[in-house]
Amino acid sequence: MSNLNPRQQDALNHTQGPLLVLAGAGSGKTSVITQKIAHLIQNCQIPADRITAMTFTNKAAREMKARVQKLLPSEKTRGLTVSTFHQFGLQFLRYELKNTELKSNFSILDADDCKRLLMELMVRDNMSGAESRELVGKAIKMISDWKNDLVAPPDAAQTLEDPEDMMFAHLYGLYERHLRAYNAVDFDDLIVMPVHILRHNKEVRDKWQNRVRYLLVDEYQDTNTAQYELIKLLVGVMARFTVVGDDDQSIYTWRGAKPENMALLKQDFPTLTVVKLEQNYRSTNRILSAANAVIANNAHIFDKALWSDKGHGELIRVITCANDFDESERVAKEILTHRMRHGNTWDRYAVLYRSNFQARALEAQLRQLEIPYKLSGGTSFFARTEIKDVMSYLRIIINPDDDAAFLRVINTPKRGVGSATLEKLGLFAQYCGISLLSACTRTGIKEAVGTKAGHTLMDFGEFIERYTQLLYDNSDPMPLVRQMIEETGYIDYIKEDSKNPQQEKGRLDNIEALYSSISALINRAEDEEDKTIEAVIRKLVLLDMLEQQQEEENTNKVNLMTLHAAKGLEFDFVYIIGCEENLLPHHNSILTDNIEEERRLMYVGITRAKSELTLLLSKQRRSGSDFKAVEPSRFLDELPAEHINYPFHKGGGAKKEDPKKIAENYLANIQAMLAAKKKG
């Protein structure tokens, strides 16, 4: 345990009460968390299996655990829990299964599965616009928000102001009922269900509070209501915890994050200690001065100012381009020239933007100049719909208990099996204590779901059983895989479902690529047991995981990503494009008066840069077939003049908001929210 600055050391030493570490960008928060875990084990004699650390991404959890394991011998870290919130929730549900309505083989539905279920329910209940993607999207968002705010289906209607939204409250109840009938949970349930159990079962609550003797939480500003409630229920009155966060980097309110959880900490834990980490180890002082100046226009619960010992550094350049095509060309040529001049690797450069569409013109320019690039946030091969569908057919071949795979394919393509039938099937499977697939061929299925639906389900179950036997018995399973997918009618379904010939070809090519992967794995296998369909499918599932990991690993390519995706990363040379009104800040945020979050997004973008920062804007941006004049972003006027090179800037841009007034309004809102919470 060493190399900590005085404030970091304060955070490490505070172990007896509630602690908030206000960790500015690049302030070494991961070092603090990992060294604190080691300190708790080594010096405070807290067993590793009584310490839990939670974060939001698998990558962050892996990195944190790896760092701790470098600090201590393996026997000291045995039993340590370092996981995402949702992994913790899943582990909790498995431990406390008897306190749920779930069976041991419960499924976790992904976003596509949930969307499909909601669409079926909307069609069944003749809800207007059931075919509308926008309406289904709204339903998903509202149900997720209700869950994350711990609002149960019976109470959902009371939260609504628009009578037209009442259908969503009704849909929420139907959706929950069907999830339980399918012996399934969605992603939000992994937090909400543990909270419910801990709230209402004192015995379980006491057990887990004893089990989690010390809790550490990373990226605390991104927690939603349910996650914060989980934290409170796990720490109890002892309140032995450290949460690490930065309210200036709260950029996820659109997906439920509650930056006001910072204020709630002071309310719920009056003895809270706050340690500020303000020394930045990443950026030059010009970059930090720019970041501090911009974010100073937001109201703050806790004030802080980043500083660095890395010197002044280069001026921040602001470049005005004629249009968005000129902007893309300028960035591409700037990177090419800069790299040639300094002999850098490509991966030291990043181009950040507010919206994904901005990458299109940029990609074209980079390809033209033969500059290698990596586009973050693209759809992985295994995440494509047709691949997930075919893989689901193969998954239930090797695991008949995979209810999630069953639910994905039972009506893909359409077999006339509606949500009402699936609910009855789910209840029948629960009664028999078997999987959904096994229930299809169980005696009594026709009585349970009706004669017609029973015939359809029996045919499907027998179809899967037949191919399971054939594939397991055949030394060359590949032709059978093709035959099975053809026989399902899936290929015809792709042809009918595709919007144009190009999309059809792309989807069919993807399926062919999957077949090729299966063949390659069979041909490369040295042992006979590795040539079985079961072994091959399990390897493909692993390949999916590896692919996801690979995407996270650095490669020697220019990084292209949204400002949201860039959070937590750093690059030597950063270009932020589209610094214009209605883009950054975004048009929707201007309409909803949510400028503060957009400013935090700008702050995140600025603080990604280590050595050099370049901001670009256009005078005109393409709108359809025409060009439309655009205004410079108000955030450019908030930059300190002494630290920027902004040719032809006349000043006096967008009127600045009064920080004092913003702060007063913000604190008034917080007080009102806390008062309402007390009443509730």
Side-chain angles (χ1 to χ4, degrees):
M1 269 74 79
S2 60
N3 302 322
L4 296 181
N5 66 41
R7 296 289 75 77
Q8 290 175 328
Q9 196 66 47
D10 290 345
L12 182 140
N13 291 336
H14 189 283
T15 58
Q16 290 308 308
L19 174 67
L20 165 63
V21 180
L22 198 67
S27 62
K29 67 179 176 72
T30 306
S31 291
V32 171
I33 295 173
T34 53
Q35 293 203 39
K36 184 157 191 174
I37 293 171
H39 174 65
L40 291 166
I41 296 169
Q42 189 87 320
N43 304 323
C44 303
Q45 280 72 55
I46 301 177
D49 62 358
R50 293 290 184 266
I51 298 171
T52 293
M54 286 193 264
T55 186
F56 282 87
T57 68
N58 290 319
K59 184 183 179 184
R62 283 198 306 270
E63 183 184 347
M64 203 180 291
K65 196 160 189 176
R67 286 207 198 181
V68 173
Q69 288 168 339
K70 282 182 181 176
L71 294 171
L72 294 173
S74 58
E75 63 271 13
K76 290 270 190 180
T77 61
R78 196 168 290 121
L80 173 69
T81 297
V82 181
S83 70
T84 65
F85 274 92
H86 293 90
Q87 284 169 340
F88 178 87
L90 179 59
Q91 182 192 39
F92 181 97
L93 290 179
R94 285 178 174 153
Y95 277 125
E96 302 299 336
L97 198 64
K98 65 181 180 186
N99 294 302
T100 73
E101 301 171 19
L102 301 167
K103 296 184 299 189
S104 60
N105 62 338
F106 67 88
S107 302
I108 304 166
L109 302 193
D110 66 15
D112 284 349
D113 298 327
C114 295
K115 186 186 288 184
R116 191 173 306 191
L117 172 58
L118 282 167
M119 285 183 74
E120 286 174 2
L121 292 172
M122 291 170 81
V123 169
R124 191 189 81 178
D125 279 36
N126 297 315
M127 295 182 187
S128 61
E131 297 300 323
S132 163
R133 283 190 182 182
E134 188 179 333
L135 207 64
V136 174
K138 185 176 179 180
I140 289 170
K141 176 78 167 66
M142 288 184 75
I143 290 171
S144 183
D145 286 348
W146 275 319
K147 286 193 172 192
N148 290 327
D149 288 337
L150 300 172
V151 177
D155 305 320
Q158 299 169 26
T159 68
L160 298 172
E161 295 177 4
D162 189 345
E164 289 189 9
D165 287 342
M166 289 299 284
M167 61 177 269
F168 295 111
H170 171 67
L171 187 63
Y172 180 21
L174 283 178
Y175 172 75
E176 285 295 279
R177 204 175 77 201
H178 278 74
L179 281 181
R180 298 298 89 82
Y182 296 165
N183 189 36
V185 297
D186 63 17
F187 205 54
D188 296 323
D189 285 329
L190 297 177
I191 307 297
V192 174
M193 290 177 77
V195 167
H196 183 79
I197 294 167
L198 289 165
R199 267 183 173 177
H200 297 98
N201 192 320
K202 186 178 182 303
E203 186 184 340
V204 173
R205 188 166 64 249
D206 289 345
K207 180 175 73 177
W208 280 87
Q209 286 179 2
N210 182 55
R211 183 178 180 140
V212 182
R213 300 270 185 85
Y214 203 96
L215 179 67
L216 302 101
V217 179
D218 192 16
E219 304 288 5
Y220 173 73
Q221 77 281 346
D222 294 336
T223 55
N224 58 35
T225 300
Q227 287 160 340
Y228 180 45
E229 192 66 18
L230 180 66
I231 292 167
K232 285 197 297 181
L233 289 163
L234 287 171
V235 301
V237 293
M238 295 297 290
R240 297 179 74 184
F241 68 81
T242 296
V243 298
V244 183
D246 181 6
D247 50 345
D248 289 333
Q249 296 188 74
S250 178
I251 57 175
Y252 293 117
T253 60
W254 51 276
R255 68 182 190 198
K258 298 287 174 68
E260 58 264 32
N261 285 349
M262 289 278 193
L264 285 174
L265 271 178
K266 294 175 78 176
Q267 171 78 14
D268 294 332
F269 301 96
T271 61
L272 180 75
T273 297
V274 180
V275 173
K276 298 178 186 178
L277 304 184
E278 296 174 296
Q279 183 175 356
N280 175 285
Y281 293 93
R282 176 185 298 158
S283 309
T284 65
N285 268 308
R286 286 198 195 276
I287 292 168
L288 296 179
S289 296
N292 289 334
V294 169
I295 207 65
N297 291 278
N298 274 7
H300 286 87
I301 305 165
F302 307 99
D303 289 319
K304 70 174 187 309
L306 297 179
W307 61 275
S308 163
D309 60 5
K310 293 188 175 297
H312 253 13
E314 300 289 330
L315 286 168
I316 295 165
R317 293 186 303 152
V318 183
I319 299 172
T320 305
C321 303
N323 53 55
D324 42 335
F325 291 104
D326 181 40
E327 178 187 58
S328 296
E329 185 180 23
R330 178 70 182 266
V331 171
K333 288 181 176 176
E334 283 264 346
I335 292 172
L336 185 65
T337 307
H338 192 281
R339 180 193 174 258
M340 288 174 67
R341 189 183 299 135
H342 298 282
N344 298 322
T345 52
W346 294 114
D347 58 345
R348 295 177 69 185
Y349 298 86
V351 186
L352 312 181
Y353 36 83
R354 178 62 178 83
S355 299
N356 278 306
F357 77 86
Q358 293 172 259
R360 292 173 197 157
L362 184 59
E363 283 189 86
Q365 287 294 333
L366 293 170
R367 283 197 299 268
Q368 195 172 320
L369 294 173
E370 297 182 354
I371 297 173
Y373 66 88
K374 179 175 70 174
L375 185 66
S376 295
T379 306
S380 87
F381 178 74
F382 288 94
R384 292 166 181 157
T385 301
E386 59 276 8
I387 300 303
K388 289 177 79 169
D389 288 342
V390 175
M391 283 293 292
S392 292
Y393 274 107
L394 297 174
R395 276 167 49 195
I396 56 174
I397 291 286
I398 68 166
N399 179 15
D401 291 335
D402 192 335
D403 285 350
F406 175 89
L407 289 169
R408 186 173 185 94
V409 300
I410 184 59
N411 230 15
T412 308
K414 298 285 185 194
R415 295 186 178 87
V417 181
S419 57
T421 299
L422 287 173
E423 184 180 9
K424 291 173 185 174
L425 175 67
L427 292 169
F428 180 65
Q430 275 190 336
Y431 176 78
C432 298
I434 55 179
S435 69
L436 296 175
L437 179 65
S438 300
C440 291
T441 52
R442 187 73 165 233
T443 304
I445 183 65
K446 291 177 186 175
E447 289 77 11
V449 302
T451 305
K452 187 180 176 185
H455 271 300
T456 303
L457 291 171
M458 282 186 74
D459 288 345
F460 182 77
E462 288 167 358
F463 169 82
I464 296 295
E465 283 179 5
R466 177 161 60 88
Y467 270 102
T468 299
Q469 194 63 47
L470 287 169
L471 285 163
Y472 272 92
D473 290 346
N474 202 297
S475 58
D476 183 14
M478 207 47 243
L480 284 168
V481 170
R482 284 181 178 275
Q483 185 180 312
M484 182 185 78
I485 299 303
E486 286 277 356
E487 203 171 319
T488 64
Y490 188 75
I491 302 301
D492 291 333
Y493 162 76
I494 289 281
K495 292 174 179 176
E496 291 166 14
D497 186 62
S498 298
K499 293 174 184 173
N500 52 56
Q502 290 80 15
Q503 189 186 56
E504 178 190 319
K505 184 177 183 304
R507 293 170 76 179
L508 292 176
D509 284 349
N510 286 336
I511 294 171
E512 281 299 322
L514 179 62
Y515 292 158
S516 299
S517 297
I518 295 172
S519 293
L521 283 171
I522 293 169
N523 294 332
R524 283 203 303 266
E526 293 179 4
D527 298 328
E528 284 303 312
E529 62 187 29
D530 291 337
K531 293 181 181 287
T532 65
I533 192 67
E534 182 177 10
V536 168
I537 302 307
R538 292 201 190 284
K539 278 188 181 176
L540 279 175
V541 172
L542 181 61
L543 278 178
D544 182 14
M545 294 165 63
L546 290 172
E547 181 181 276
Q548 292 170 18
Q549 287 180 22
Q550 217 169 21
E551 286 177 358
E552 294 172 349
E553 291 168 6
N554 203 10
T555 51
N556 190 22
K557 295 175 180 179
V558 175
N559 300 275
L560 312 185
M561 64 187 71
T562 64
L563 288 158
H564 283 98
K567 186 170 171 287
L569 304 176
E570 60 182 42
F571 307 95
D572 289 287
F573 314 105
V574 170
Y575 300 79
I576 303 176
I577 61 174
C579 297
E580 303 143 24
E581 289 290 296
N582 293 306
L583 200 49
L584 183 63
H586 195 274
H587 174 69
N588 293 343
S589 299
I590 296 172
L591 288 179
T592 57
D593 197 25
N594 193 19
I595 299 299
E596 288 209 350
E597 178 142 346
E598 292 292 297
R599 189 174 282 113
R600 291 195 292 268
L601 200 53
M602 182 70 170
Y603 175 84
V604 166
I606 292 170
T607 54
R608 297 312 94 194
K610 295 166 71 174
S611 300
E612 294 179 24
L613 175 65
T614 306
L615 309 174
L616 295 100
L617 66 151
S618 299
K619 293 178 180 177
Q620 293 183 315
R621 190 163 288 275
R622 185 173 286 280
S623 178
S625 57
D626 300 317
F627 282 96
K628 185 179 175 183
V630 291
E631 294 293 320
S633 169
R634 68 190 71 190
F635 302 146
L636 297 177
D637 286 324
E638 297 172 358
L639 295 168
E642 67 271 27
H643 295 303
I644 62 170
N645 176 11
Y646 191 175
F648 316 116
H649 180 50
K650 296 174 184 176
K655 188 179 177 183
K656 289 189 181 181
E657 297 150 277
D658 182 2
K660 191 174 176 183
K661 187 152 181 162
I662 292 173
E664 286 171 358
N665 292 337
Y666 184 86
L667 291 172
N669 290 336
I670 290 289
Q671 284 163 358
M673 182 198 67
L674 294 175
K677 182 176 181 287
K678 262 187 179 176
K679 286 180 188 174

